[in-house]
Amino acid sequence: MASELKARLSDEMKAAMKAKDKPRLGVIRSIQAAIKQVEIDKQVTLDSDAEVLPVLDKMLKQRRDSHQQYMDADRPELAETEAYEMEVIQSFLPQPLTDEEVTQLIDAAVAETGAASMQDMGKVMGQLKPKMQGRADMGEVSKKIKAKLNG
């Protein structure tokens, strides 16, 4: 199955070139470069959206971290650039899950795995990650699971 996401990235890149939208074009090219890098490193072709999503998710997390660091360092112009890049990357990700949906998925995963303590955290995360990849901040999900297992 061919990745619709990769095809969409290619189409969006062409559209950005035609529109002379250099900032957007730069972000799209960096996404494509990151995908290519993973393909080269792992010596595989990312054929499905499920294989491409973790790359976008990782890029989004990096931008979030950088944005926070720039805000903390009182560098709003750099934080703004990161925010713009986050926005473009998110436009290629599936619709984000609501807090309620995240909580429901966590509750279901905890029930299914029979998780009772922090030692079961890996089981719960393992079950949730494929369902939530690109749709939720896994750092926040991790905090919610910890709170549930500790509570």
Side-chain angles (χ1 to χ4, degrees):
M1 177 177 94
S3 170
E4 289 177 28
L5 207 46
K6 283 170 77 173
R8 191 170 145 223
L9 278 163
S10 183
D11 292 344
E12 291 282 335
M13 183 180 80
K14 291 172 192 164
M17 288 167 93
K18 284 180 184 166
K20 294 186 176 21
D21 186 348
K22 284 186 178 167
R24 184 173 174 80
L25 180 61
V27 178
I28 293 169
R29 282 188 171 148
S30 73
I31 293 170
Q32 289 180 317
I35 292 168
K36 196 64 158 163
Q37 189 63 53
V38 169
E39 290 179 334
I40 290 168
D41 290 348
K42 294 185 178 178
Q43 296 185 342
V44 295
T45 301
L46 302 182
D47 289 328
S48 70
D49 287 353
E51 294 171 316
V52 175
L53 278 176
V55 177
L56 292 177
D57 216 22
K58 183 178 178 187
M59 289 182 76
L60 187 61
K61 183 183 184 318
Q62 289 167 337
R63 298 307 179 286
R64 256 192 214 116
D65 293 346
S66 297
H67 180 264
Q68 189 57 55
Q69 288 172 356
Y70 289 140
M71 292 303 283
D72 293 346
D74 197 26
R75 296 293 306 266
E77 70 287 351
L78 294 173
E80 205 173 288
T81 303
E82 295 298 323
Y84 175 75
E85 290 184 12
M86 288 180 348
E87 207 175 283
V88 174
I89 294 167
Q90 281 174 323
S91 73
F92 292 100
L93 291 170
Q95 190 66 36
L97 295 167
T98 64
D99 279 345
E100 194 175 298
E101 289 170 322
V102 169
T103 302
Q104 288 171 350
L105 284 168
I106 290 171
D107 291 346
V110 167
E112 277 179 49
T113 59
S117 70
M118 283 304 294
Q119 289 156 333
D120 301 320
M121 175 93 179
K123 284 188 220 168
V124 177
M125 282 298 282
Q127 191 170 12
L128 289 174
K129 196 156 187 165
K131 295 176 187 173
M132 294 183 161
Q133 191 79 57
R135 300 187 67 201
D137 178 352
M138 294 311 287
E140 290 301 313
V141 171
S142 176
K143 286 178 192 167
K144 288 183 179 187
I145 295 169
K146 284 178 187 161
K148 184 162 184 67
L149 293 178
N150 283 333

